[in-house]
Amino acid sequence: SISVFMAVAQQCSGQAVVLSYAPLIFSSLNHLDMSATLWIGVVKLLMTVLVIWKIEQIGRRFLLMAGMTVIAIGQLMIGLSFRSTQYDGEGEVQVASSAMRWAFPGVLLVVAGYSASFGPLTWLLTSELFPTTVRGKALGANTVITYLSASLVTSTFLSMHKRVGFCAVFVMYGLVAAFGLVFVYLGIPDTGGKNAMEIEDEMRKMWCWRRQKQLDVELVEPSVPVYEGELA
């Protein structure tokens, strides 16, 4: 469940859309500058190096939660930059000149949050959660789910923004990241430096899996009525 969540949520939070359509986003805001796209690459590189360098000290769970929080904030900022979007008679997007003040930092936040969380941790957590006997198959299945999710999100972005507008689309991506943050808090332990048994023990203490265990017990061991004749 955790690996599937990671594979789907990393794409449905909209980071791939931001990277793929950054020029379109900036041009829609009447701001198409090569330095803007250059900064995206710089931020992605810096955050990746930081995570590789400090992941053991910071912790996987904290990085995941912090990164998803930053993604949610960034997507909401991009959405807010389009809140005053209007269309002229020819269907061209007309936005306020100040919109780029929200959109550009929002894009950088999404890229930074993804590079600190989903980017490296999707594969790291999957490899640490599964035993070596099935790890290869789990990673392969995760790869397929990731590409399917990415294809779905990127292929629907243009049609969705034409139907509901840029603002609603990016706010939706932000909400996906926010709901994912709740799941991480309730159901994903920190796997750093722990063996399979220790990770399982940590999961049993978390609300999602503690509740699931209670439901499994109720299904497997239903209450059996005891009659007086049986007692005799």
Side-chain angles (χ1 to χ4, degrees):
S1 299
I2 293 177
S3 60
V4 172
F5 159 78
M6 296 286 289
V8 174
Q10 70 166 323
Q11 302 301 330
C12 292
S13 61
Q15 183 267 354
V17 168
V18 170
L19 285 184
S20 300
Y21 295 103
L24 174 62
I25 296 169
F26 295 148
S27 63
S28 297
L29 294 169
N30 302 319
H31 184 101
L32 184 57
D33 187 351
M34 288 304 295
S35 65
T37 54
L38 176 63
W39 274 108
I40 293 176
V42 171
V43 169
K44 194 176 183 69
L45 174 63
L46 291 176
M47 291 305 301
T48 301
V49 171
L50 175 64
V51 170
I52 294 174
W53 182 31
K54 290 293 186 179
I55 186 170
E56 297 300 334
Q57 290 85 353
I58 300 175
R60 292 149 176 74
R61 188 168 185 263
F62 179 83
L63 278 173
L64 188 57
M65 294 179 64
M68 293 179 71
T69 302
V70 172
I71 291 173
I73 295 172
Q75 295 288 23
L76 292 176
M77 289 178 65
I78 299 173
L80 287 174
S81 68
F82 287 98
R83 68 190 184 282
S84 58
T85 297
Q86 297 178 352
Y87 294 87
D88 59 20
E90 299 179 355
E92 296 294 328
V93 179
Q94 301 293 324
V95 296
S97 59
S98 61
M100 196 62 185
R101 298 175 186 174
W102 292 90
F104 182 56
V107 168
L108 295 184
L109 285 177
V110 172
V111 172
Y114 182 88
S115 300
S117 56
F118 285 125
L121 294 177
T122 296
W123 312 107
L124 180 60
L125 286 176
T126 300
S127 65
E128 292 178 340
L129 286 170
F130 288 94
T132 54
T133 53
V134 297
R135 185 173 298 163
K137 294 180 179 179
L139 289 171
N142 233 33
T143 302
V144 173
I145 295 172
T146 297
Y147 281 118
L148 289 176
S149 301
S151 300
L152 177 64
V153 172
T154 53
S155 64
T156 57
F157 171 70
L158 293 177
S159 59
M160 287 180 62
H161 106 263
K162 290 180 180 178
R163 291 188 178 186
V164 299
F166 276 121
C167 180
V169 173
F170 286 108
V171 168
M172 181 187 68
Y173 292 150
L175 292 177
V176 170
F179 285 124
L181 175 63
V182 174
F183 177 78
V184 173
Y185 178 76
L186 296 176
I188 298 184
D190 197 322
T191 59
K194 299 174 183 176
N195 58 39
M197 292 298 296
E198 291 173 333
I199 294 173
E200 186 176 353
D201 290 339
E202 289 291 327
M203 290 179 64
R204 287 174 179 171
K205 300 175 184 177
M206 308 194 78
W207 186 87
C208 280
W209 313 117
R210 187 171 66 245
R211 178 58 181 163
Q212 182 63 43
K213 184 179 179 180
Q214 292 173 353
L215 292 175
D216 291 342
V217 170
E218 291 174 2
L219 291 173
V220 174
E221 299 179 0
S223 57
V224 179
V226 178
Y227 300 98
E228 295 182 0
E230 294 179 353
L231 294 175

